[in-house]
Amino acid sequence: MECGGGGAVPPATLAEFTLNGAGGLDFYDVSVVDGYNLPMLVEARGGGNCTATGCAADLNGGCPAELKVKTVASGEGVACKSACEAFGDPRYCCSGRYATPETCKASSYSQLFKSACPRAYSYAYDDATSTFTCASADYRITFCPSTSLR
């Protein structure tokens, strides 16, 4: 796959990487902060004891009506917006006076994503449970994995 590096148009499940970052480590996560459109799994290979991460669950079916993106033809849910995109509220966007880890907290919407996908990044300051490190690994990204995370 070719990637222009410009990011995705929300709502989209994202795989994010910082390679050879602090201490020579790679930092990686799967994020549903900008919404969700498909299950994704990231597995690190050859970098030591590295953790797989992602969101193997299909969140489209259980997406709240106010966040659901539907096809025009069938009305079927094909993606789930973030609360930020749906409402533009600084509380959900972690912007303005909510732009710090102290003021930006998980919302009921991000907690819904987190409960379905505990290893995925679910809101702007969800680093503690959702960012993983590895040393010089090869990464395999699987879209719509048939297996779940253990």
Side-chain angles (χ1 to χ4, degrees):
M1 271 189 145
E2 208 171 297
C3 180
V9 176
T13 310
L14 302 176
E16 302 174 309
F17 295 88
T18 298
L19 303 176
N20 197 24
L25 293 174
D26 298 341
F27 294 78
Y28 59 101
D29 67 80
V30 169
S31 174
V32 292
V33 171
D34 293 322
Y36 169 95
N37 65 333
L38 54 82
M40 182 186 300
L41 178 65
V42 173
E43 298 170 285
R45 297 170 180 247
N49 189 18
C50 306
T51 302
T53 188
C55 183
D58 182 357
L59 301 179
N60 290 330
C63 182
E66 60 271 29
L67 303 182
K68 192 171 280 206
V69 177
K70 300 177 185 179
T71 65
V72 174
S74 69
E76 181 181 348
V78 294
C80 195
K81 294 179 188 179
S82 68
C84 175
E85 182 183 3
F87 309 122
D89 187 317
R91 289 178 302 154
Y92 299 127
C93 298
C94 294
S95 61
R97 67 184 185 118
Y98 298 97
T100 68
E102 295 76 34
T103 57
C104 176
K105 301 297 179 194
S107 70
S108 60
Y109 295 107
S110 66
Q111 288 173 342
L112 193 103
F113 288 166
K114 190 60 149 181
S115 66
C117 298
R119 293 186 189 171
Y121 214 89
S122 63
Y123 73 101
Y125 295 101
D126 193 14
D127 300 84
T129 62
S130 305
T131 301
F132 300 92
T133 60
C134 200
S136 302
D138 290 322
Y139 297 93
R140 182 170 76 179
I141 302 168
T142 305
F143 299 96
C144 304
S146 60
T147 59
S148 63
L149 294 173
R150 291 177 224 120

